[in-house]
Amino acid sequence: MYYFKFPQRVKYLLYLSCTVFILNSCSPPSTSTEKVEETNGKFVKNNFPDFGRMISPAEFHSKFPNDRVFKLSQDYPLEMPDDSQIPSFFDIPFDDDERWMEYINAVRDYAFEGMIDVDFIAQESKVRKWYHMPWMHWGPQGSEGFHGLAKEAEIGPYQLGPDQKTSHQTYALGFYNEFAGYTLAQMWKDKDNPDPYATQKPNGFPVGTVIFKLLFTDADESEVDYLVNPMTWNAYITPTWNNGQDTGRVVKKMHLIQMDVMVRDPRADQYGTGWVFGTFCYNGKLNNGKEGSFRAENLVPVGIQFGNDPQDTTNFINPYPVTKTIINPNLKQTKINPDSTQLPPQHLGWGGRLDGPVDLNTSSCMSCHATAEFPQIAALVPKESFIGDTNALGQLTKLTETQAEEFIDYFKNLECATPYTADATSCDFSLQVSLALGYFTEWKDEEVEGYWTSEFERLPVEMNRDGSLKINVPQLD
Ligand code: HEC
């Protein structure tokens, strides 16, 4: 059965019968033994491509003898990990002004433990398992073969600081822990028929899920002073962002600039979201870590966010280029690191909500991620986030259409595993899930040389972080 044809009726029956048991929880019910036998073991045995773009094997061997080729970690577990694997930082209050930093640093340690010493090669971690998202290899923004970095977004002039006069780009790789891997197994165990309902209530990423993402840029210390003493990875990338087009890829050194984390923490249910987001900015001036991946120890907490503070309408943007981090004291669901000796100046998001250096200053982690759905009908950023007053450099200083309904909705709190648009399926705040399902569908259309009626029932939009709205209908011959 193709997932598009999953009858609405069954969907609602499923929903109704299960919600009774799982009120306030996005944890899936336990796996049935039948499913385990189906794939004859404890792991999914798929063979998704490892990456989508790479130089030839001959060139790789002659020019890069010290590099490795990226391998997708994809033996997703069919069994839910037991509670003993819940991270120990689930004891630390993330919403306490005095302790949130302890929480977010513990998440960083959890991501680094067993990984920093193996250069973040997931398969080599001896401490715990980490997985990658399938299908990120596909399309013009497809992942590359040195480190699995997928082309992500453009960085506009001055976004990273006053000396960054030219545009740059971000490439990134996500890591999913065993709890998250269980959900990926449920979604992808039949590789030809992914189940998008794996991330919608009564399912969804289980409590204990930790996802982290390393973000790299082709900007360097000549334009961004805190990228001194860099942690670098080779990557096969486009020379410039070039409107997201995929032409003329070259091998370049990329610099670690940011690390993002997402945690499915049940204590965040009370804020109406169920998720905790956190981000870190690279500050090479601290000169922590000896070399190689240990340089990742220069990642400094920017802040934490467990809700959008819908009640707060303080309307300000910290315009590019930033000179200092502006903290909005009215926010209750974002906490920002006030230590400017450690943290380079941050623009943050709208009204001071959490956002990282490469993210847009009129959005926020949670508002963008809440839109994750399949098909992706909602825009990642509403158009009102681009309308306002500008400074002499042409940078936005104040939004002027913040009363628009779409903008207000964008900063409401959405419960985990709940669709943003009524007619779509929730990807439970994971935009890589949304991308993977979208890429898979486009590929399948091409492969079968045909379309499904359901693809014409709603209009998905192309996933753009820069706010441009392209309707994404199948290209008919
Ligand atoms: C304007 C939209 C936008 C904003 C703002 C944004 N992200 Fe994302 N994020 C994305 C997209 C698109 C992806 C998927 C593609 C990728 O990984 O690059 C993603 C991927 C991720 C992932 C990988 C997990 C997944 O499946 O989605 C994490 C973790 C993450 N973001 C955390 C954050 C954090 C933390 C912040 C704030 C500091 C943030 N994001 C801000 C758009 C956004």
Side-chain angles (χ1 to χ4, degrees):
M1 177 173 45
Y2 187 61
Y3 60 83
F4 263 130
K5 295 189 170 174
F6 206 93
Q8 260 335 57
R9 205 162 32 90
V10 177
K11 174 181 149 190
Y12 285 124
L13 278 177
L14 246 170
Y15 183 82
L16 284 177
S17 58
C18 300
T19 27
V20 181
F21 304 105
I22 51 93
L23 277 179
N24 266 333
S25 154
C26 302
S27 306
S30 59
T31 334
S32 75
T33 44
E34 191 186 292
K35 282 175 185 163
V36 175
E37 278 160 17
E38 219 171 76
T39 45
N40 196 23
K42 292 186 170 177
F43 303 105
V44 173
K45 290 202 181 66
N46 284 326
N47 192 10
F48 295 114
D50 293 300
F51 48 85
R53 302 285 178 279
M54 191 48 166
I55 52 175
S56 71
E59 191 183 352
F60 176 76
H61 285 291
S62 65
K63 292 192 185 155
F64 301 96
N66 299 322
D67 276 273
R68 306 251 313 242
V69 176
F70 175 75
K71 199 164 194 295
L72 194 80
S73 175
Q74 52 172 311
D75 53 341
Y76 311 116
L78 281 159
E79 282 174 14
M80 176 78 96
D82 62 60
D83 283 357
S84 67
Q85 292 200 52
I86 295 275
S88 54
F89 57 80
F90 273 48
D91 290 346
I92 307 172
F94 59 77
D95 50 1
D96 182 326
D97 280 346
E98 306 301 320
R99 300 200 57 194
W100 70 266
M101 194 95 86
E102 194 186 324
Y103 179 92
I104 209 68
N105 278 325
V107 181
R108 197 189 84 154
D109 291 346
Y110 179 90
F112 284 1
E113 209 186 351
M115 288 288 270
I116 200 163
D117 43 339
V118 297
D119 284 329
F120 294 96
I121 296 172
Q123 292 85 349
E124 294 187 359
S125 166
K126 297 202 174 49
V127 176
R128 62 181 65 88
K129 301 209 72 166
W130 290 97
Y131 305 92
H132 303 298
M133 186 65 65
W135 276 97
M136 297 302 290
H137 67 279
W138 198 80
Q141 294 187 212
S143 58
E144 55 78 53
F146 284 89
H147 291 98
L149 297 178
K151 184 168 178 172
E152 191 182 90
E154 181 167 35
I155 303 173
Y158 303 109
Q159 188 171 341
L160 303 177
D163 299 323
Q164 184 227 326
K165 301 207 164 73
T166 58
S167 294
H168 288 281
Q169 35 180 353
T170 309
Y171 283 69
L173 173 65
F175 299 83
Y176 299 75
N177 77 349
E178 189 122 15
F179 289 97
Y182 169 81
T183 296
L184 296 181
Q186 296 307 304
M187 180 169 281
W188 292 99
K189 62 185 175 208
D190 176 353
K191 71 174 174 29
D192 299 320
N193 293 287
D195 178 9
Y197 294 95
T199 45
Q200 175 161 296
K201 283 187 177 184
N203 303 311
F205 285 107
V207 161
T209 288
V210 178
I211 309 173
F212 78 97
K213 187 170 89 161
L214 298 175
L215 296 89
F216 289 77
T217 174
D218 54 0
D220 62 23
E221 65 173 295
S222 64
E223 287 186 83
V224 185
D225 59 357
Y226 51 85
L227 290 179
V228 65
N229 301 319
M231 172 176 152
T232 58
W233 275 3
N234 279 337
Y236 185 54
I237 63 162
T238 52
T240 60
W241 172 252
N242 191 21
N243 276 327
Q245 301 302 305
D246 193 25
T247 44
R249 288 206 182 211
V250 290
V251 181
K252 266 198 190 182
K253 270 205 182 341
M254 302 294 280
H255 303 72
L256 179 67
I257 182 160
Q258 182 174 331
M259 178 167 91
D260 287 343
V261 301
M262 277 167 71
V263 182
R264 173 69 185 100
D265 188 320
R267 296 169 301 168
D269 289 348
Q270 63 180 297
Y271 299 103
T273 61
W275 283 98
V276 178
F277 280 71
T279 194
F280 303 80
C281 174
Y282 193 87
N283 183 5
K285 291 179 184 173
L286 300 177
N287 206 7
N288 290 329
K290 294 170 286 293
E291 56 185 1
S293 295
F294 286 92
R295 288 256 172 93
E297 287 168 2
N298 289 313
L299 288 165
V300 180
V302 176
I304 199 168
Q305 185 183 25
F306 39 92
N308 276 313
D309 277 290
Q311 82 294 340
D312 186 68
T313 50
T314 316
N315 184 10
F316 81 91
I317 304 171
N318 194 350
Y320 309 140
V322 290
T323 48
K324 69 174 178 76
T325 309
I326 302 173
I327 296 179
N328 175 355
N330 301 327
L331 295 180
K332 306 270 183 287
Q333 299 172 352
T334 280
K335 311 230 176 262
I336 302 296
N337 183 357
D339 185 353
S340 58
T341 64
Q342 299 280 309
L343 182 67
Q346 298 293 311
H347 54 71
L348 305 174
W350 183 65
R353 287 168 184 78
L354 186 64
D355 240 352
V358 308
D359 299 312
L360 194 70
N361 59 357
T362 54
S363 179
S364 87
C365 306
M366 285 205 107
S367 43
C368 188
H369 275 265
T371 68
E373 58 186 11
F374 175 73
Q376 187 70 38
I377 304 170
L380 294 192
V381 186
K383 65 176 186 314
E384 293 78 16
S385 278
F386 299 89
I387 305 170
D389 305 332
T390 50
N391 65 14
L393 290 167
Q395 307 294 341
L396 278 170
T397 55
K398 187 181 166 67
L399 296 180
T400 47
E401 309 223 347
T402 56
Q403 292 309 314
E405 202 182 323
E406 287 76 14
F407 191 83
I408 292 168
D409 283 350
Y410 190 64
F411 289 99
K412 283 187 180 152
N413 286 337
L414 182 76
E415 259 181 68
C416 53
T418 310
Y420 189 77
T421 309
D423 208 18
T425 315
S426 171
C427 298
D428 199 3
F429 285 71
S430 168
L431 283 161
Q432 284 204 358
V433 163
S434 164
L435 275 177
L437 291 171
Y439 289 165
F440 172 82
T441 308
E442 286 173 36
W443 170 80
K444 190 149 180 173
D445 284 353
E446 282 177 17
E447 206 48 27
V448 297
E449 295 186 20
Y451 311 96
W452 279 263
T453 310
S454 53
E455 291 178 60
F456 290 77
E457 285 169 352
R458 38 204 176 183
L459 288 179
V461 298
E462 198 170 290
M463 194 182 274
N464 267 324
R465 298 163 68 117
D466 63 4
S468 54
L469 261 186
K470 289 183 214 148
I471 302 296
N472 200 12
V473 286
Q475 295 302 307
L476 302 185
D477 299 329

Coordinates of all heavy atoms in Angstrom, one line a residue, residues 343-381:
L343 N 30.8 34.2 24.5 CA 29.9 34.1 23.4 C 30.1 35.3 22.4 O 29.8 36.5 22.8 CB 28.4 34.1 23.9 CG 27.4 33.9 22.8 CD1 27.5 32.5 22.1 CD2 26.0 34.1 23.4
P344 N 30.4 35.1 21.1 CA 30.5 36.2 20.2 C 29.1 36.8 20.1 O 28.1 36.2 20.3 CB 30.8 35.5 18.9 CG 31.5 34.2 19.3 CD 30.8 33.8 20.5
P345 N 29.0 38.1 19.7 CA 27.7 38.8 19.6 C 26.7 38.0 18.7 O 27.1 37.5 17.6 CB 28.0 40.1 18.9 CG 29.5 40.3 19.2 CD 30.1 39.0 19.3
Q346 N 25.5 37.9 19.2 CA 24.5 37.1 18.5 C 23.3 38.0 18.1 O 22.8 38.8 18.8 CB 23.9 36.0 19.4 CG 24.9 35.0 19.9 CD 25.5 34.1 18.8 OE1 24.7 33.6 18.0 NE2 26.8 34.0 18.7
H347 N 22.8 37.7 16.9 CA 21.6 38.4 16.4 C 20.3 37.8 17.0 O 19.3 38.5 17.1 CB 21.5 38.5 14.9 CG 21.6 37.2 14.2 ND1 20.6 36.3 14.2 CD2 22.6 36.7 13.4 CE1 21.0 35.2 13.5 NE2 22.2 35.5 13.0
L348 N 20.3 36.5 17.3 CA 19.2 35.8 17.8 C 18.0 35.9 16.8 O 18.2 36.3 15.6 CB 18.7 36.2 19.2 CG 19.9 36.2 20.2 CD1 19.4 36.8 21.6 CD2 20.3 34.7 20.4
G349 N 16.8 35.5 17.3 CA 15.6 35.6 16.4 C 14.7 36.7 16.7 O 15.1 37.6 17.4
W350 N 13.5 36.6 16.2 CA 12.5 37.8 16.3 C 12.2 38.0 17.8 O 12.0 37.1 18.6 CB 11.2 37.5 15.6 CG 10.3 38.7 15.7 CD1 10.4 39.9 15.2 CD2 9.0 38.7 16.4 NE1 9.4 40.7 15.6 CE2 8.5 40.0 16.3 CE3 8.3 37.7 17.2 CZ2 7.3 40.4 16.9 CZ3 7.1 38.1 17.7 CH2 6.6 39.5 17.6
G351 N 12.4 39.3 18.2 CA 12.1 39.6 19.6 C 13.1 39.0 20.6 O 12.9 38.9 21.8
G352 N 14.2 38.5 20.1 CA 15.3 37.9 21.0 C 15.1 36.4 21.2 O 15.7 35.9 22.1
R353 N 14.1 35.8 20.5 CA 13.9 34.3 20.7 C 15.2 33.6 20.2 O 15.9 34.2 19.4 CB 12.7 33.9 19.9 CG 11.4 34.3 20.6 CD 10.2 34.1 19.7 NE 9.0 34.6 20.4 CZ 8.6 35.9 20.5 NH1 9.4 36.8 20.0 NH2 7.5 36.2 21.1
L354 N 15.3 32.4 20.6 CA 16.6 31.7 20.2 C 16.7 31.4 18.7 O 15.8 31.0 18.0 CB 16.6 30.3 20.9 CG 18.0 29.6 20.7 CD1 19.1 30.3 21.3 CD2 17.9 28.2 21.3
D355 N 17.8 31.7 18.2 CA 18.3 31.4 16.8 C 19.8 31.4 16.8 O 20.4 32.1 17.6 CB 17.7 32.4 15.8 CG 16.8 31.8 14.8 OD1 16.7 30.6 14.7 OD2 16.2 32.5 14.0
G356 N 20.4 30.6 15.9 CA 21.8 30.6 15.8 C 22.4 31.6 14.8 O 21.6 32.2 14.1
P357 N 23.7 31.7 14.8 CA 24.4 32.6 13.8 C 24.0 32.4 12.4 O 23.8 33.4 11.7 CB 25.9 32.3 14.0 CG 26.0 31.4 15.2 CD 24.7 30.9 15.6
V358 N 23.8 31.2 11.9 CA 23.5 31.0 10.5 C 22.0 31.1 10.2 O 21.5 31.0 9.1 CB 24.0 29.7 9.9 CG1 25.5 29.6 10.1 CG2 23.2 28.5 10.4
D359 N 21.1 31.2 11.3 CA 19.7 31.3 11.2 C 19.2 32.7 11.0 O 19.9 33.7 11.3 CB 19.0 30.7 12.4 CG 19.4 29.2 12.6 OD1 19.3 28.5 11.6 OD2 19.7 28.9 13.7
L360 N 18.0 32.8 10.5 CA 17.4 34.1 10.2 C 17.0 34.9 11.4 O 16.4 34.3 12.3 CB 16.2 33.8 9.3 CG 15.5 34.9 8.6 CD1 16.4 35.3 7.4 CD2 14.2 34.4 8.0
N361 N 17.3 36.2 11.5 CA 17.0 37.0 12.7 C 15.6 37.4 12.9 O 15.2 38.1 13.8 CB 17.9 38.2 12.8 CG 17.8 39.2 11.6 OD1 17.0 38.9 10.7 ND2 18.5 40.3 11.6
T362 N 14.7 36.9 12.0 CA 13.3 37.3 12.1 C 12.4 36.0 12.3 O 11.2 36.0 12.2 CB 12.7 38.0 10.9 OG1 13.0 37.3 9.7 CG2 13.4 39.4 10.8
S363 N 13.1 34.9 12.7 CA 12.4 33.6 12.9 C 12.8 33.1 14.3 O 13.2 33.9 15.2 CB 12.9 32.7 11.8 OG 12.3 31.4 11.9
S364 N 12.7 31.9 14.6 CA 13.2 31.3 15.8 C 13.3 29.7 15.6 O 12.6 29.2 14.7 CB 12.4 31.6 17.0 OG 11.4 30.7 17.2
C365 N 14.1 29.1 16.4 CA 14.2 27.6 16.2 C 12.9 26.9 16.2 O 12.5 26.2 15.3 CB 15.0 27.0 17.4 SG 16.6 27.7 17.8
M366 N 12.1 27.2 17.3 CA 10.9 26.4 17.4 C 9.8 26.8 16.4 O 9.0 25.9 16.0 CB 10.3 26.6 18.8 CG 11.1 25.8 19.8 SD 10.2 25.4 21.3 CE 9.9 23.7 21.1
S367 N 9.7 28.1 16.1 CA 8.6 28.5 15.1 C 8.9 27.8 13.8 O 8.0 27.4 13.1 CB 8.5 30.0 15.1 OG 9.7 30.6 15.0
C368 N 10.1 27.8 13.3 CA 10.4 27.2 12.0 C 10.2 25.7 12.1 O 9.6 25.1 11.2 CB 11.9 27.5 11.6 SG 12.3 27.0 9.9
H369 N 10.7 25.1 13.2 CA 10.6 23.6 13.2 C 9.2 23.1 13.5 O 8.9 22.0 13.1 CB 11.6 23.1 14.3 CG 12.9 22.9 13.7 ND1 13.4 21.7 13.3 CD2 14.0 23.7 13.5 CE1 14.6 21.8 12.8 NE2 15.0 23.0 12.9
A370 N 8.3 23.9 14.1 CA 6.9 23.5 14.3 C 6.2 23.2 13.0 O 5.3 22.5 12.9 CB 6.2 24.5 15.1
T371 N 6.7 23.9 11.9 CA 6.0 23.7 10.6 C 6.3 22.4 9.9 O 5.7 22.1 8.9 CB 6.5 24.8 9.6 OG1 7.9 24.6 9.2 CG2 6.3 26.2 10.1
A372 N 7.2 21.6 10.5 CA 7.7 20.4 9.8 C 6.5 19.4 9.6 O 5.9 18.9 10.6 CB 8.7 19.7 10.7
E373 N 6.1 19.2 8.4 CA 5.0 18.3 8.1 C 5.2 17.7 6.7 O 6.1 18.1 5.9 CB 3.7 19.2 8.1 CG 3.8 20.4 7.1 CD 2.5 21.3 7.2 OE1 1.8 21.2 8.2 OE2 2.4 22.2 6.3
F374 N 4.3 16.8 6.4 CA 4.4 16.1 5.0 C 3.0 16.0 4.4 O 2.1 15.4 5.1 CB 5.1 14.8 5.1 CG 5.0 14.1 3.8 CD1 5.9 14.5 2.8 CD2 4.1 13.0 3.6 CE1 5.8 13.8 1.6 CE2 4.1 12.4 2.4 CZ 5.0 12.8 1.3
P375 N 2.8 16.5 3.2 CA 3.7 17.3 2.5 C 3.9 18.6 3.1 O 3.1 19.1 3.9 CB 3.1 17.4 1.1 CG 1.6 17.2 1.3 CD 1.5 16.3 2.5
Q376 N 5.1 19.3 2.9 CA 5.4 20.5 3.5 C 4.6 21.6 2.8 O 5.0 22.2 1.8 CB 6.9 20.8 3.4 CG 7.4 22.0 4.1 CD 7.4 21.9 5.7 OE1 7.7 20.8 6.2 NE2 7.0 22.9 6.4
I377 N 3.4 21.9 3.4 CA 2.5 22.9 2.8 C 2.8 24.2 3.4 O 2.8 25.3 2.7 CB 1.0 22.5 3.1 CG1 0.6 21.1 2.6 CG2 0.1 23.6 2.5 CD1 -0.7 20.6 3.1
A378 N 3.1 24.3 4.7 CA 3.5 25.5 5.4 C 4.8 26.0 4.9 O 5.8 25.2 4.7 CB 3.5 25.3 6.9
A379 N 5.0 27.3 4.8 CA 6.3 27.9 4.5 C 7.1 27.9 5.8 O 6.6 27.9 6.9 CB 6.1 29.4 4.1
L380 N 8.4 27.7 5.6 CA 9.3 27.7 6.8 C 9.3 29.0 7.6 O 9.5 29.1 8.8 CB 10.7 27.3 6.5 CG 10.9 25.9 5.9 CD1 12.4 25.6 5.9 CD2 10.2 24.8 6.7
V381 N 9.1 30.1 6.8 CA 9.1 31.4 7.4 C 8.0 32.2 6.7 O 7.9 32.2 5.5 CB 10.5 32.1 7.1 CG1 10.5 33.5 7.8 CG2 11.7 31.3 7.4

